[in-house]
Amino acid sequence: MKIKRHAKILEILDQHAIETQEELAEKLKEAGFDITQATISRDIKEMKLVKMMDASGRYRYSKYRDEAVPVNERMMNVFREAVTHIDYAGNIVVVKTLSGMAHAAAVTVDLTEWSEIVGCLAGDDTIFILLKTEQTAMELVSNLKKYIK
Amino acid sequence: MKIKRHAKILEILDQHAIETQEELAEKLKEAGFDITQATISRDIKEMKLVKMMDASGRYRYSKYRDEAVPVNERMMNVFREAVTHIDYAGNIVVVKTLSGMAHAAAVTVDLTEWSEIVGCLAGDDTIFILLKTEQTAMELVSNLKKYIK
DNA sequence: AACAAACATGCATAATTATACCATAGTTGT
DNA sequence: ACAACTATGGTATAATTATGCATGTTTGTT
């Protein structure tokens, strides 16, 4: 049910200016989902939705507009095969790979054209990716994690 | 002081994982800005900052990554000269211009390459811009308002 | 099927955030 | 200089959101 509810939430946010979680709960109830504000709070966290001021000066929940890292088929394959762990510290993202695979994985990272990536260095089983800010490092981790395991 | 504080806030958000407004208030105090959580709340609204789950599963304040509408010199000029009012209803943005100027302004909108813009129709002093969703209509209004008056 | 483990969600409430109201300081026009 | 605005921001508190705990539900395993 959670999946369907999440889909419905996106639909509702696109169609109505939702200012509070209670309001969203209302709409969901109208749509036949019987849930409480607590669940909405968890959904919002999980779905990475955000509350921000809109053009009319009021608050509004909306999708976070994610600047996705452009990935290609090769990168997806290499990551699925070779990457074991991804994390970051400050503005550096650290990618751990199976032994000897770091170089191959790093090449695919180099090939992306994400302007926030300053540079990328591979050892035997570790890659350091230098980003412009911690904020973007966090986003890169979030993006890359989709492709591992 | 507000301007400087806002700049400092952006700097802090890039350097630290800030989970609450109180935490941000702390950092600002360390930096010599003597303010309270209430002010932060107002700043966050005004600056359109958002709280969302980060890669580690915790909350974090960050900039909203805005997909800016690509504007050119001509558009900025036309808007400054001719556009009097911008608003939206549902997924349609309505731009009011001085009499007879709508066409000129609409042409510059047509020339932007924002994929969310479905189409654009001009009368004598009014333009209708059709967007894909209300959400993007809201964002377009927010973006265009920077260029009028 | 029986059970364990993982997941989902309500309830109550703690934690956090937004804002009404007020005071003060800065600006503007006369 | 002075009144009238406007902008800023604190205080107190209302409003909203997050979450610990308990319970029910689903999933996977033997």
Side-chain angles (χ1 to χ4, degrees), chain B residues 1-2 5 34-36 38-39 42 51 59:
Chain B
M1 201 77 292
K2 190 158 78 157
R5 189 178 63 235
D34 187 17
I35 41 68
T36 64
T39 299
R42 295 178 181 117
K51 183 168 88 165
Y59 280 102

Side-chain angles (χ1 to χ4, degrees), chain A residues 16-117:
Chain A
H16 307 271
I18 300 294
E19 289 190 71
T20 68
Q21 298 185 359
E22 287 292 357
E23 211 176 312
L24 183 51
E26 286 299 307
K27 296 284 182 196
L28 281 169
K29 276 174 189 159
E30 284 170 23
F33 294 85
D34 188 18
I35 40 70
T36 64
Q37 173 269 327
T39 298
I40 306 269
S41 173
R42 294 176 181 116
D43 284 346
I44 281 170
K45 184 172 188 177
E46 190 174 335
M47 298 171 75
K48 302 197 173 183
L49 300 177
V50 301
K51 182 167 89 165
M52 71 181 286
M53 194 181 74
D54 73 5
S56 69
R58 325 190 61 171
Y59 279 102
R60 171 163 190 170
Y61 277 98
S62 70
K63 290 197 276 273
Y64 183 74
R65 202 173 275 287
D66 203 2
E67 187 179 357
V69 176
V71 292
N72 52 43
E73 199 65 33
R74 173 189 297 277
M75 180 159 174
M76 284 169 58
N77 290 334
V78 174
F79 267 63
R80 194 176 50 246
E81 303 289 319
V83 174
T84 59
H85 191 74
I86 302 176
D87 205 351
Y88 73 102
N91 61 329
I92 296 179
V93 170
V94 178
V95 177
K96 294 288 289 183
T97 69
L98 298 179
S99 180
M101 305 293 281
H103 183 68
V107 168
T108 70
V109 173
D110 271 334
L111 290 176
T112 70
E113 293 181 341
W114 208 39
S115 60
E116 300 295 336
I117 295 179

Side-chain angles (χ1 to χ4, degrees), chain A residues 91 114-118 130-137, chain B residues 14:
Chain A
N91 61 329
W114 208 39
S115 60
E116 300 295 336
I117 295 179
V118 178
L130 180 64
L131 280 294
K132 293 199 177 151
T133 66
E134 179 172 350
Q135 167 69 34
T136 51
Chain B
D14 248 4

